[in-house]
Amino acid sequence: MPKLADEQHYGVQGALTAGCLLLLVLVADVAAGLLVVIVLTVRGLGRMDAGSGRTVTTPPPDWTPVLGFGALALAVGVTAVVLLRIGHRVIGALQLTLCVLLAAHALRLWP
């Protein structure tokens, strides 16, 4: 009987650890995503102000959104691989799904 109690204790502790890890990864992903959005917004506002006194020309392609979302997808993908390697399969699979979505968004923004 003591063996069963030990297994239940580790099961609850593992679930608690996985929940805390999921929350930590989620907060980190949201913070990184907000950073990318803030940088792109500030950059967009700067381009609107600078364009008011210029003549109409074809602007060069803007690689900032592609690089921003690509770097975010890379960070999320590396986190997913690390999570999968240490045994958190559900959280790793969610991270991989988010990585694929971010990579698809970055490819959609390709100039």
Side-chain angles (χ1 to χ4, degrees):
M1 281 307 237
K3 234 181 187 180
L4 182 60
D6 288 339
E7 288 176 10
Q8 286 179 344
H9 175 69
Y10 289 127
V12 171
Q13 186 179 4
L16 182 64
T17 302
C20 289
L21 187 61
L22 176 62
L23 184 64
L24 182 66
V25 167
L26 181 65
V27 168
D29 287 344
V30 167
L34 284 175
L35 181 66
V36 169
V37 167
I38 289 170
V39 166
L40 292 177
T41 303
V42 168
R43 198 167 151 76
L45 290 174
R47 291 179 84 188
M48 285 186 349
D49 292 340
S52 60
R54 293 185 182 171
T55 60
V56 177
T57 60
T58 305
D62 188 14
W63 289 94
T64 306
V66 176
L67 294 176
F69 284 110
L72 185 58
L74 180 65
V76 170
V78 167
T79 306
V81 169
V82 168
L83 287 170
L84 288 172
R85 296 284 294 181
I86 63 173
H88 293 282
R89 296 189 180 191
V90 174
I91 302 170
L94 288 173
Q95 285 290 105
L96 269 177
T97 304
L98 184 61
C99 175
V100 168
L101 291 174
L102 286 169
H105 185 67
L107 288 174
R108 188 181 63 84
L109 293 173
W110 192 281

